Amino acid sequence: MALTTPVVVPYASYLRVYEPLAAFPEPERSHWARYARRGDLPGAQDELRRSLADLVPVPPVVVPVRESADAFVAEVDGVVCVCPWRTRLRGWQALAGLGDELPAPVLDAAVPPVVRREAAADYDGWRERNPDARPWIRSATWHVPVRWFVLFSDEEREYGKGADADGEREGPVLRYRTPMVQARRRVARALKVLREELEDSPLVDGLVDVGRWLEEFHPRSMVELDYGGLVYTISEDQLASDHSAADTAEGLAALREGDGERASAAYERLTERWRAVRQRGLAS
């Protein structure tokens, strides 16, 4: 979870899995069934605000004391599906990766070493008791990983205005949603192309990791890619013209057909688009 420090909180994208209620054992299934019937379901901004509130104390509460009982809810072909927040688990995982994102002096100032050591010890003990636990949500700061776009087609792209709990219009929303079976199929096809055409590519390792993660969920789940807070760092004109999933698909198709020039052009569009966004993160 990228909601750990005030440096990165607002500017994260998310890859989420919504599972049908049947995927959950009791008593969790009944909890989510009751939860989904509520009339005041929280949204992404609510999750963000709650995470920000934990950063106010000194030292900050980087990992919640208790696991969240909240989730995102969606109806897929008449079936209620939920995406548990699991903020505690994601907080631990994000904390472990902060060393790769922040310089040591900044990290020590934001999250003192003693806080990190205590959190790591708590996580180790928790993992021993919950060896099969995994998050329903992955996040990335100041970009959307190219490997995530592999899971979707341009036809699944949704771009428009969001609405808050009172129905008032708020910021733009850019997301993709696809059935789990489609996401898994696209990962398998992309891996076949990449392994055949490229001798060594970080994209292969990243896709393998995403594919393994997807295999842990119910086959009738829905997968969602949400630009999240990135929509506030990109102009509306740029968002409207952003078809990164289409560029990714075109690049893979060109590789499969042996058209290196077209594949390079698609890759260049992707890298230029996301390089510009990441540079804003470095400037902040």
Side-chain angles (χ1 to χ4, degrees):
M1 179 180 178
L3 306 180
T4 307
T5 75
V7 176
V8 298
V9 163
Y11 309 116
S13 60
Y14 304 94
L15 187 64
R16 305 186 181 109
V17 172
Y18 292 74
E19 284 196 285
L21 294 176
F24 297 90
E26 292 291 2
E28 189 176 7
R29 183 186 307 173
S30 295
H31 164 74
W32 292 130
R34 292 190 300 271
Y35 182 91
R37 292 194 293 268
R38 288 172 42 180
D40 58 343
L41 293 174
Q45 289 302 308
D46 296 298
E47 185 193 18
L48 178 61
R49 282 190 286 266
R50 293 178 194 179
S51 298
L52 283 169
D54 285 339
L55 300 173
V56 175
V58 179
V61 180
V62 294
V63 177
V65 176
R66 295 181 181 84
E67 187 55 271
S68 172
D70 286 305
F72 297 115
V73 178
E75 187 172 305
V76 182
D77 296 329
V79 176
V80 173
C81 295
V82 298
C83 174
W85 288 3
R86 291 297 192 269
T87 50
R88 195 170 193 227
L89 172 58
R90 290 162 56 209
W92 273 321
Q93 293 179 337
L95 187 60
L98 271 184
D100 297 329
E101 296 185 18
L102 299 176
V106 176
L107 176 59
D108 289 345
V111 188
V114 63
V115 175
R116 302 202 303 273
R117 287 195 297 269
E118 290 175 356
D122 290 343
Y123 185 41
D124 289 342
W126 186 88
R127 287 294 295 178
E128 290 182 3
R129 300 188 299 274
N130 303 273
D132 298 324
R134 80 286 197 252
W136 279 256
I137 303 173
R138 289 188 166 193
S139 60
T141 56
W142 285 107
H143 75 299
V144 179
V146 172
R147 59 185 177 275
W148 291 4
F149 290 115
V150 171
L151 281 56
F152 306 92
S153 73
D154 192 58
E155 290 72 23
E156 294 160 344
R157 178 181 181 274
E158 302 175 20
Y159 174 62
K161 293 288 186 179
D164 61 19
D166 298 321
E168 297 295 329
R169 305 299 277 182
E170 53 181 25
V173 173
L174 179 52
R175 72 183 183 190
Y176 296 80
R177 285 180 165 181
T178 195
M180 176 64 76
V181 290
Q182 282 282 27
R184 290 176 178 171
R185 185 178 298 120
R186 288 167 181 153
V187 168
R189 289 174 176 171
L191 282 173
K192 183 176 186 297
V193 171
L194 291 170
R195 284 168 169 161
E196 289 178 352
E197 302 298 331
L198 302 178
E199 293 184 2
D200 185 24
S201 170
L203 184 55
V204 172
D205 294 336
L207 266 182
V208 168
D209 177 62
V210 170
R212 287 173 177 168
W213 180 62
L214 294 179
E215 289 295 333
E216 298 183 25
F217 298 98
H218 194 283
R220 293 190 178 180
S221 300
M222 176 184 73
V223 187
E224 175 186 76
L225 190 167
D226 182 1
Y227 273 45
L230 293 181
V231 296
Y232 299 105
T233 72
I234 305 172
S235 72
E236 292 199 19
D237 287 343
Q238 290 173 315
L239 286 172
S241 62
D242 182 333
H243 290 266
S244 293
D247 290 334
T248 302
E250 181 176 350
L252 288 169
L255 277 178
R256 184 170 54 248
E257 297 163 8
D259 189 340
E261 183 175 347
R262 185 159 61 95
S264 295
Y267 180 74
E268 185 65 22
R269 287 196 298 273
L270 280 167
T271 55
E272 283 299 317
R273 180 179 301 134
W274 291 107
R275 183 183 297 118
V277 176
R278 300 195 80 160
Q279 284 174 344
R280 297 189 185 112
L282 295 173
S284 63

